[in-house]
Amino acid sequence: MKQGVYTLEVENRGQLGTANTRRLRHQGKVPAIVYCHGQEGTPLMMELKAATAVASHPGLLMISNKAAGKTIRAIVKEIAYNHITQNVIHIDFQ
């Protein structure tokens, strides 16, 4: 691992919507999306432990999606937290 770069393992998020997102969170996963210039956002999901680590990492991230066979560089755009438990509930990457 390079200095200042954090590698994050993610999975594709099949179904979208409020009910499916709620199911993911009950399974200990956190929904995320990657926005790229000129393209539609790519919905992803990751483990809660990984999302918590990302929340405390201020720099560049390498997002590795083994299912799609891609690794991209990104930075955190926005993180949403549960106001009661303070758990990460959603992350936007750019």
Side-chain angles (χ1 to χ4, degrees), residues 5-24:
V5 177
Y6 182 81
T7 303
L8 175 65
E9 297 289 330
V10 297
E11 303 170 39
N12 288 333
R13 192 171 76 189
Q15 298 176 335
L16 304 177
T18 305
N20 293 315
T21 302
R22 192 173 296 131
R23 261 187 238 117
L24 281 178

Side-chain angles (χ1 to χ4, degrees), residues 4 8 16 20 32 40 43 48 52 57 59 74 86 92-93:
L8 175 65
L16 304 177
N20 293 315
E40 286 193 30
L48 177 60
T52 304
H57 184 76
Q86 295 302 309
D92 290 345
F93 296 103

Side-chain angles (χ1 to χ4, degrees), residues 72-83:
I72 59 171
R73 294 180 298 165
I75 58 172
V76 175
K77 181 177 179 181
E78 185 176 358
I79 300 175
Y81 293 93
N82 181 312
H83 295 292

Side-chain angles (χ1 to χ4, degrees), residues 8-16 21 24-25 29-35 41-47 50-51 54 61 63 65 74-80 88-94:
L8 175 65
E9 297 289 330
V10 297
E11 303 170 39
N12 288 333
R13 192 171 76 189
Q15 298 176 335
L16 304 177
T21 302
L24 281 178
R25 290 186 184 122
K29 307 232 184 217
V30 175
I33 191 159
V34 177
Y35 294 106
T42 306
L44 304 170
M45 65 181 165
M46 68 191 84
E47 297 292 330
V54 167
L61 301 163
I63 300 175
N65 187 344
I75 58 172
V76 175
K77 181 177 179 181
E78 185 176 358
I79 300 175
V88 176
I89 58 172
H90 192 273
I91 300 180
D92 290 345
F93 296 103
Q94 189 164 13

